[in-house]
Amino acid sequence: MKYYKEMLFSKLVQSGWEIIHESDNTEWWLESSWKIRSIKQNYGLECFILFLVDPQYEGNDKSSAVWAIEAFKNLPSARPLNTGVAAMNMIKGQFDVKLSVFVNELNEYRASVCS
């Protein structure tokens, strides 16, 4: 597992989420996806985490071309355009800050669904 996925997984677990399904069987624009479920507030709420590939990438190893990470209520059937509940770009720098903001946005979404 890539470092950024390990860090995201750790933050999600600390915030009361679990991964219930992983998929690597994906379209050209998607490196992989996780289906996650809340095991804390609003128990059972599910979301999808998508690891999006740089649209200009033409290689075979998509894991080295992850450009953004986004969370969605439902699994989109086509490349999404920033319509998710949380988003994070993977441009180098400030990864820890971006990761915290991403997980906070996901947690805020979970809290808003409870309200």
Side-chain angles (χ1 to χ4, degrees):
M1 183 181 292
K2 292 277 190 179
Y3 174 75
Y4 63 87
K5 286 184 176 182
E6 291 175 6
M7 296 299 295
L8 175 57
F9 174 75
S10 177
K11 279 272 198 203
L12 289 172
V13 168
Q14 291 171 10
S15 295
W17 295 93
E18 67 179 349
I19 297 173
I20 57 174
H21 181 72
E22 292 183 60
S23 176
D24 293 329
N25 185 11
T26 60
E27 300 290 332
W28 69 267
W29 50 270
L30 186 61
E31 186 269 333
S32 63
S33 66
W34 293 348
K35 185 175 185 179
I36 62 171
R37 176 176 42 212
S38 176
I39 56 173
K40 197 174 180 179
Q41 179 185 24
N42 200 4
Y43 182 86
L45 176 69
E46 296 179 350
C47 295
F48 293 87
I49 305 287
L50 276 57
F51 299 91
L52 302 171
V53 173
D54 183 338
Q56 296 180 359
Y57 182 73
E58 295 181 5
N60 291 327
D61 181 16
K62 294 190 291 185
S63 68
S64 64
V66 173
W67 180 55
I69 300 172
E70 292 191 41
F72 294 87
K73 298 176 198 177
N74 300 301
L75 188 61
S77 58
R79 186 175 181 92
L81 300 172
N82 272 346
T83 57
V85 297
M88 174 174 93
N89 71 47
M90 294 295 288
I91 297 170
K92 297 201 186 277
Q94 300 180 332
F95 178 78
D96 291 340
V97 172
K98 292 176 186 180
L99 181 59
S100 292
V101 169
F102 178 83
V103 174
N104 286 340
E105 288 174 351
L106 192 55
N107 292 338
E108 287 171 10
Y109 164 70
R110 173 174 57 189
S112 74
V113 172
C114 288
S115 306

